[in-house]
């Protein structure tokens, strides 16, 4: 990373482009530039073929100035430092303070680039980039610019740290509805990236976020709890409430049935099996639909009970 300081004393972390990526971008730009130059040369030379040699020479010099020298200047000015090759390679030309380039920067880079890239086949530019700490060629040095890489991988955020175990029931009565969503997002982003921050900056940010959460909830952290632990506990309580709201007060019927302990049939509170019609109702039937023979006390026609023999 390259630390660039803006006019407001803000340090910017920019990654200077490496020489291979810059060389590939320059090769793409030169291929497009010389293709346009050759096509225009053939067309204009054919158009002025009947004129004298001075007119043909003037057209040739004009093409060199307009296309080979003025083309890169116009492209970088209109695209704010992103030519075709830089767009393909994910590069951009910026000022040394991180701002976009203007016409004067593109003009200096274009004029010097014609000599150090096209006339010397890139030898001078390659040597200057290797010598410079930021990979700047002569055009960048005199124009006050820098070629940076825009395709910087985003830092991976870690998991939200768990609160101290003894704080599990402390935040159960907090009023979290008054905490805005933007503050929750800031707390979560801080907790997931706290390890990537400077210790002093991280501590100051944690105190400020904890103060905002205390002002919204009205409950200060317990004595001896750090701002990071307080934020982790409050965020964990909010996640627990969100999960409870989404999934209900408890597990579903299938989960409760699977997790319910088995109760002996004769124990108190045991569920009685569903009544099967038989003795006092319709005829008891076997699973195959037939009527099995009676195997116990039978009811006589008069309704009396006959004990088994």
């Amino acid at each position: 990373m390259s630390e660039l300081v803006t006019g407001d004393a803000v340090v910017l972390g920019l990654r200077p482009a490496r020489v291979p990526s810059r060389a590939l971008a320059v090769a793409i730009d030169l291929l497009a530039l010389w293709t346009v130059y050759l096509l225009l040369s053939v067309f204009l030379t054919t158009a002025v073929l009947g004129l004298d040699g001075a007119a043909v020479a003037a057209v040739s010099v004009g093409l060199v100035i307009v296309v080979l020298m003025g083309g890169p200047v116009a492209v970088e000015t209109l695209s704010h430092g992103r030519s075709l090759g830089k767009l393909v390679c994910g590069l951009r030309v910026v000022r040394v303070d991180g701002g976009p380039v203007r016409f004067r920067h593109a003009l200096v880079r274009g004029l010097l680039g014609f000599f150090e890239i096209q006339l010397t086949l890139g030898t001078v530019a390659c040597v200057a980039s290797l010598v410079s700490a930021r990979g700047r060629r002569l055009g960048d040095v005199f124009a006050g610019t820098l070629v940076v890489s825009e395709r910087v991988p985003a830092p991976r955020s870690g998991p939200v740290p768990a609160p101290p175990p003894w704080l599990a029931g402390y935040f159960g009565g907090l009023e979290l509805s008054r905490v805005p969503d933007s503050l929750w997002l800031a707390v979560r982003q801080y907790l997931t990236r706290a390890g990537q921050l400077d210790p002093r900056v991280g501590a100051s940010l944690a105190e400020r976020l904890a103060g905002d959460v205390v002002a919204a909830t009205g409950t200060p952290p317990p004595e001896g709890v750090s701002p990071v632990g307080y934020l982790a506990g409050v965020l964990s309580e909010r996640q627990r409430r969100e999960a409870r709201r989404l999934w209900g007060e408890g597990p579903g019927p299938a989960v409760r049935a699977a997790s319910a302990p088995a109760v002996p049939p004769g124990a108190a509170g045991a569920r009685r099996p569903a009544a099967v019609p038989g003795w006092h109702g319709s005829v008891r039937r076997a699973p195959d639909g037939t009527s099995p023979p009676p195997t116990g006390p039978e009811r006589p026609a008069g309704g009396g009970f006959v004990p088994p023999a």
Side-chain angles (χ1 to χ4, degrees):
M1 286 291 187
S2 176
E3 291 188 354
L4 304 181
V5 182
T6 65
D8 298 330
V10 178
V11 179
L12 300 177
L14 299 178
R15 175 173 296 182
R18 298 182 179 181
V19 176
S21 60
R22 294 190 61 179
L24 179 59
V26 169
I28 296 175
D29 290 337
L30 289 180
L31 179 61
L33 192 65
W34 277 90
T35 300
V36 175
Y37 172 75
L38 293 177
L39 292 177
L40 289 178
S41 297
V42 172
F43 175 76
L44 293 179
T45 303
T46 305
V48 299
L49 190 60
L51 303 179
D52 55 357
V56 176
V59 170
S60 300
V61 173
L63 281 176
V64 171
I65 296 176
V66 173
V67 178
L68 297 183
M69 299 180 64
V73 176
V75 170
E76 286 194 357
T77 302
L78 296 177
S79 64
H80 299 289
R82 298 189 71 183
S83 60
L84 177 61
K86 293 180 178 62
L87 182 63
V88 172
C89 298
L91 307 180
R92 180 189 288 272
V93 181
V94 297
R95 301 197 306 260
V96 290
D97 59 353
V101 294
R102 306 292 183 183
F103 172 73
R104 63 180 183 274
H105 307 99
L107 179 61
V108 176
R109 293 187 80 255
L111 294 179
L112 291 179
F114 177 76
F115 293 100
E116 64 176 330
I117 294 178
Q118 300 190 51
L119 295 185
T120 62
L121 300 180
T123 304
V124 176
C126 183
V127 173
S129 300
L130 292 176
V131 172
S132 175
R134 298 178 181 177
R136 303 168 69 189
R137 61 178 179 87
L138 296 180
D140 294 318
V141 174
F142 286 98
T145 57
L146 175 67
V147 180
V148 298
S149 177
E150 293 185 320
R151 297 175 183 174
V152 179
R156 297 182 178 180
S157 58
V160 178
W166 56 275
L167 286 178
Y170 182 83
F171 301 104
L174 285 182
E175 179 60 38
L176 303 181
S177 60
R178 292 178 295 180
V179 181
D181 293 338
S182 58
L183 182 56
W184 286 124
L185 180 60
V187 170
R188 180 174 179 83
Q189 289 179 346
Y190 166 75
L191 292 177
T192 54
R193 298 172 181 169
Q196 304 171 4
L197 301 177
D198 182 82
R200 292 177 298 177
V201 176
S204 175
L205 183 58
E207 292 180 359
R208 183 173 63 84
L209 291 176
D212 294 341
V213 174
V214 169
T217 60
T219 303
E223 185 177 357
V225 177
S226 64
V228 178
Y230 174 74
L231 294 176
V234 174
L235 184 61
S236 177
E237 175 64 21
R238 182 178 185 269
Q239 293 176 345
R240 187 188 67 82
R241 295 185 185 182
E242 288 293 328
R244 185 178 179 182
R245 181 180 62 85
L246 292 176
W247 301 104
E249 297 293 332
V255 178
R256 287 196 298 265
S259 61
V263 181
R271 176 179 292 183
R272 300 180 62 183
V276 179
W279 294 110
H280 304 284
S282 60
V283 179
R284 180 187 299 174
R285 296 186 179 276
D288 57 357
T290 61
S291 299
T295 58
E298 301 180 1
R299 181 183 298 271
F305 177 75
V306 179

